[in-house]
Amino acid sequence: MYAIKRLFLGVFLIALASGILLASDLGHRKGKESNASSSGHIPHIALFVFTTSTLLDDGAKGVLDVFEEEGIIDGQTAKIDHFNAEGDMPTANSIAKRITGEGYDIVVTLSTPTLQTMASANKEGQVRHIFGAVTDPFASGVGINPADPLEHPPHLAGIGTFQPVDITLQLMHYLAPHIKTLGIVWNPSEACSEACTLKAKKTASNLGLTIIEAQVDNTAGVFEAATSLAARGADAFYVGGDNTVETGIESLIKAASAAGIGVITNTPNDALKGAALNLGANYYEVGRQVGQMAAEVLQDGLDPATVAIKDVVPRKLALNTAALEKLATPWAIPPDIMDCVALTVDEKGPHDYTETAKVLPDFKDGKPVSPAMPAESASAPQPAATAPSQEEVVPISAPLGKKWRLRFIDYCEAEHVSGCHQGFSERIKALGLVEGRDYELAVQNAQGDIAAMNTMITAIAAEKPDMVLLTSTPTLQAAVQNIKDIPVLFSNVANPIIVGAGVSDTDHLPNITGIYSEHDCAAMVKLIKECLPQAHTIGTLYCPAEANSEYNSQKLGDATQADGLAFIRISDANASEVPQSAQALLERGVDVICQVVDNLHDTGFTSIVEAARRSKTPLFSFVPGLVREHGAAISLAKDYNSSGEDLADLVLRVMRGEHPEDIPFHSIRRTKLVVNLENARLCGLETPQSVISRADEVIGGAAQ
């Protein structure tokens, strides 16, 4: 009897425990409502989009559908407020400030401008922020490190969706080889649009296409801009991640139809509006992933600080066959491509083949290089790789036994070049390498002459030395195109990715590695605001012919606008234009000039200094030597000597047998703040003591 009682007691306790567990999970099973119900708090959510467009509407629907599936239902278990800036940046800034100050539990932003404005208003992390539908979050100036996807503001997380610009133009070239001139209407104030336009220019160049462009600052100008490009001989129009043009896409399609040319976009649903070829992300699926992340933050306690920022592009191909048939030169769509189409639009209307569409093959040089695959066999997008830690290079203890032939190529004479050479020379000796015994080194400088530089690179490719070293973006660009079977080690390159050296720090061309010099533009803008708290507008000059200048000015503009300031940049093409360009910049009412790094303006810096001093306009730089010797007031700059030291380390690693493809790209390790008090006084700047006290170098006075 005692045994039976114990048995019943055991069964009772098991049943009781099971009941407790089931009860505790009831809320989770009914849509994860337990967190809200147990605390009595209904989460307050903001969904913030920049404009009304098919792309963003699809993304928002994906977010809301996931919320509903997870039990986050407006008016029942949550309060969801919708905000739309309708394409107006001042409105976007006002909305962001409102969201930050009204006690929201989480904000979900869709588009690059809403990411930037929200991040600027929410620097203190008052509200958790999940973003999506952003072309390039790493270049948006909100503090996300492209070398380490876990390095970002702790309250901020999300996913990037870089438009598939390269494969879109490759596919267009495959289907319509008669297209030789591509017209692009774009808004240069949108970072996402500029990123796509830069990528399109590079891809077009590789395919032998000509790009003609027209810039707009609002939707009303789209039709006129497109009509002008058609008159200039555009064979087709391309639209990347541009909110302004996307909002006015019907106007662009109207202009294209009148000219009998096609429209190619990165928004699949533009096929419904008459665009011929559309390859882009399925933004409904992007929205679902963003919504899932936000739900996990709200319900499961996911900490945004632990989320690695990654790029997610669930591809979707859409064709408007009715539009294709009406083109002046009709396109032929082969069966292998038709098998990959998820949406077609003909005279009878749209037809959805999402469930059966195969995955589009990869392309190279305008031709498919892999077969189409069933959707379920395609690999999922991978997160960006994190940067490895800096390796300690041990000096040699005995001669190498081989004399290495090294060739060092510079594009021009500049402070960053001389600093790199000084650091390289000092470090190569410290590593125990002896010139004449372990290596021979020949140095050449193109003196800013592109033709001369290309000749040097071609000659070196034919000479086949053991290793090629180089500085600056134009030199690397030439090496990428001409040197395929010799180790190439670079330094002082703004961004090796934009010149085709690779797609990430760890995935790059097998014979190339090196050190890039991307500057901390966000920190520079904060420094400017510390020195000039009343400043409203930052200006710079840039050279469109230099990829590094285009990239650096874009980065500075993104950081400036993300911090709530206005940004003006003026282009010039040669040294004779710099004085007039500098004066024009000042006449636009800039409060400060922050000159980005490029070869043209490093060598023509004196003209910028003279204009700044005449108008008493503070002048900041990213190059220390321009502060020490050439008139700038303050620099926040990479230590170019350390770039040379790192380059020497790479040389020894390759000499010891490492392959460049196994060595990740990395950024220059050290940054220095240099202040010249006399230069600051001459250009009307009273330097705050807080800046002087933490400067690495103070010229013309001492820290107090």
Side-chain angles (χ1 to χ4, degrees):
M1 179 65 69
Y2 177 72
I4 293 174
K5 288 182 177 179
R6 287 180 59 87
L7 178 61
F8 275 115
L9 178 61
V11 172
F12 172 74
L13 291 174
I14 292 171
L16 178 63
S18 299
I20 292 171
L21 288 172
L22 287 169
S24 67
D25 192 50
L26 181 62
H28 182 85
R29 290 180 290 110
K30 288 184 177 180
K32 299 184 181 179
E33 299 172 16
S34 57
N35 284 357
S37 61
S38 62
S39 64
H41 172 70
I42 294 179
H44 197 185
I45 303 166
L47 178 58
F48 180 17
V49 301
F50 183 60
T51 190
T52 300
S53 70
T54 302
L55 182 154
L56 297 181
D57 290 347
D58 286 349
K61 186 176 188 305
V63 171
L64 295 173
D65 282 356
V66 167
F67 280 179
E68 184 171 357
E69 293 165 12
E70 296 294 331
I72 305 172
I73 302 171
D74 188 25
Q76 299 179 32
T77 59
K79 187 177 188 306
I80 304 175
D81 292 336
H82 298 253
F83 297 92
N84 188 328
E86 296 297 354
D88 184 68
M89 284 300 294
T91 300
N93 281 311
S94 297
I95 291 172
K97 291 175 183 176
R98 175 181 170 185
I99 292 171
T100 303
E102 293 193 359
Y104 284 89
D105 294 283
I106 196 168
V107 55
V108 176
T109 63
L110 298 175
S111 78
T112 301
T114 53
L115 165 63
Q116 293 173 318
T117 54
M118 195 67 234
S120 177
N122 190 40
K123 291 175 185 174
E124 303 303 319
Q126 298 97 315
V127 57
R128 291 169 294 182
H129 179 184
I130 306 300
F131 66 83
V134 171
T135 296
D136 188 358
F138 304 101
S140 62
V142 300
I144 304 171
N145 185 350
D148 183 354
L150 278 168
E151 186 179 323
H152 53 79
H155 55 275
L156 176 71
I159 59 175
T161 307
F162 201 103
Q163 308 286 0
V165 178
D166 179 76
I167 191 171
T168 301
L169 298 191
Q170 296 262 6
L171 176 60
M172 178 204 74
H173 189 63
Y174 176 61
L175 298 177
H178 63 277
I179 292 177
K180 302 300 181 184
T181 302
L182 195 60
I184 300 179
V185 179
W186 65 291
N187 184 347
S189 68
E190 292 188 30
C192 46
S193 180
E194 190 160 17
C196 287
T197 302
L198 288 172
K199 184 68 173 177
K201 288 179 179 179
K202 179 180 180 300
T203 302
S205 176
N206 293 338
L207 293 172
L209 303 175
T210 298
I211 294 284
I212 57 176
E213 57 189 280
Q215 297 181 0
V216 295
D217 56 14
N218 58 60
T219 301
V222 171
F223 179 77
E224 182 180 352
T227 301
S228 71
L229 291 180
R232 289 166 56 191
D235 299 316
F237 292 145
Y238 165 71
V239 181
D242 191 302
N243 292 286
T244 301
V245 179
E246 186 58 42
T247 302
I249 190 69
E250 289 92 345
S251 297
L252 185 134
I253 292 171
K254 180 180 178 182
S257 179
I261 62 178
V263 176
I264 296 94
T265 82
N266 287 133
T267 304
N269 280 356
D270 281 344
L272 300 170
K273 301 174 182 178
L277 171 67
N278 311 270
L279 177 64
N282 183 333
Y283 276 93
Y284 174 76
E285 293 298 329
V286 170
R288 288 188 61 86
Q289 295 195 39
V290 172
Q292 189 62 50
M293 186 182 296
E296 291 176 8
V297 170
L298 281 171
Q299 297 180 324
D300 300 333
L302 176 66
D303 183 356
T306 66
V307 176
I309 308 301
K310 61 182 180 180
D311 197 48
V312 177
V313 188
R315 282 185 202 159
K316 182 177 180 180
L317 174 61
L319 296 178
N320 188 310
T321 55
L324 288 170
E325 291 170 359
K326 295 176 182 177
L327 299 180
T329 305
W331 298 14
I333 311 298
D336 60 326
I337 300 301
M338 284 303 302
D339 288 344
C340 303
V341 178
L343 173 68
T344 63
V345 181
D346 58 22
E347 297 292 352
K348 297 179 181 179
H351 307 276
D352 193 336
Y353 302 104
T354 302
E355 297 299 323
T356 58
K358 293 182 178 181
V359 175
L360 191 70
D362 290 327
F363 283 75
K364 183 177 181 181
D365 299 328
K367 298 177 181 178
V369 295
S370 62
M373 298 183 296
E376 61 269 18
S377 68
S379 59
Q382 299 297 313
T386 57
S389 59
Q390 183 73 23
E391 293 197 26
E392 183 67 29
V393 179
V394 179
I396 63 172
S397 57
L400 293 173
K402 170 187 174 178
K403 185 189 293 185
W404 288 71
R405 293 180 304 129
L406 309 182
R407 299 295 179 264
F408 207 137
I409 306 297
D410 301 311
Y411 175 62
C412 67
E413 300 285 353
E415 195 269 340
H416 70 85
V417 174
S418 59
C420 178
H421 278 278
Q422 181 178 344
F424 178 84
S425 177
E426 294 171 354
R427 179 62 177 166
I428 207 83
K429 294 175 183 176
L431 291 172
L433 293 167
V434 177
E435 187 169 6
R437 183 194 72 183
D438 300 306
Y439 69 94
E440 63 178 41
L441 176 66
V443 180
Q444 294 176 272
N445 192 307
Q447 301 298 330
D449 186 329
I450 288 286
M453 182 196 66
N454 286 329
T455 300
M456 291 176 186
I457 293 291
T458 302
I460 285 175
E463 179 191 347
K464 294 191 179 300
D466 297 306
M467 204 180 311
V468 176
L469 316 179
L470 55 86
T471 58
S472 82
T473 301
T475 322
L476 176 60
Q477 192 166 17
V480 166
Q481 295 170 355
N482 294 284
I483 301 178
K484 308 298 183 183
D485 55 356
I486 305 169
V488 174
L489 310 184
F490 66 82
S491 188
N492 299 8
V493 170
N495 183 342
I497 306 303
I498 64 175
V499 297
V503 297
S504 72
D505 286 357
T506 55
D507 183 5
H508 51 73
L509 294 178
N511 67 313
I512 295 179
T513 191
I515 303 101
Y516 54 86
S517 56
E518 184 168 339
H519 296 282
D520 191 343
C521 293
M524 174 63 92
V525 173
K526 294 186 190 316
L527 175 64
I528 290 172
K529 291 180 73 172
E530 181 180 358
C531 293
L532 297 159
Q534 303 304 315
H536 297 290
T537 306
I538 295 175
T540 197
L541 303 181
Y542 78 107
C543 177
E546 293 188 37
N548 55 319
S549 184
E550 183 90 40
Y551 178 77
N552 287 334
S553 62
Q554 175 190 336
K555 289 281 292 182
L556 179 60
D558 290 345
T560 300
Q561 291 165 354
D563 224 328
L565 302 182
F567 179 69
I568 297 174
R569 65 174 189 166
I570 290 180
S571 66
D572 43 24
N574 54 62
S576 65
E577 295 179 4
V578 175
Q580 292 80 12
S581 298
Q583 186 59 40
L585 189 65
L586 294 167
E587 290 172 357
R588 295 279 297 275
V590 299
D591 300 301
V592 58
I593 297 176
C594 180
Q595 184 54 48
V596 298
V597 178
D598 61 37
N599 297 290
L600 173 62
H601 297 102
D602 282 1
T603 54
F605 196 71
T606 301
S607 299
I608 304 173
V609 172
E610 291 172 353
R613 288 183 176 177
R614 284 196 305 269
S615 62
K616 293 292 183 181
T617 301
L619 177 58
F620 288 68
S621 170
F622 289 99
V623 181
L626 298 180
V627 174
R628 296 187 184 108
E629 302 170 5
H630 298 289
I634 297 176
S635 71
L636 182 65
K638 294 295 185 180
D639 182 350
Y640 292 110
N641 284 51
S642 75
S643 74
E645 295 168 6
D646 288 355
L647 186 61
D649 285 352
L650 292 181
V651 167
L652 182 52
R653 290 174 64 180
V654 173
M655 287 178 172
R656 282 174 165 161
E658 288 190 65
H659 295 288
E661 64 183 317
D662 298 325
I663 304 175
F665 299 161
H666 71 82
S667 178
I668 296 176
R669 290 175 287 119
R670 295 195 298 263
T671 298
K672 284 188 173 181
L673 174 60
V674 179
V675 177
N676 189 314
L677 297 178
E678 177 61 18
N679 290 346
R681 183 186 65 79
L682 291 173
C683 64
L685 174 64
E686 184 176 342
T687 310
Q689 187 59 39
S690 59
V691 174
I692 296 172
S693 62
R694 69 173 189 274
D696 298 287
E697 182 179 348
V698 178
I699 301 166
Q704 299 299 314

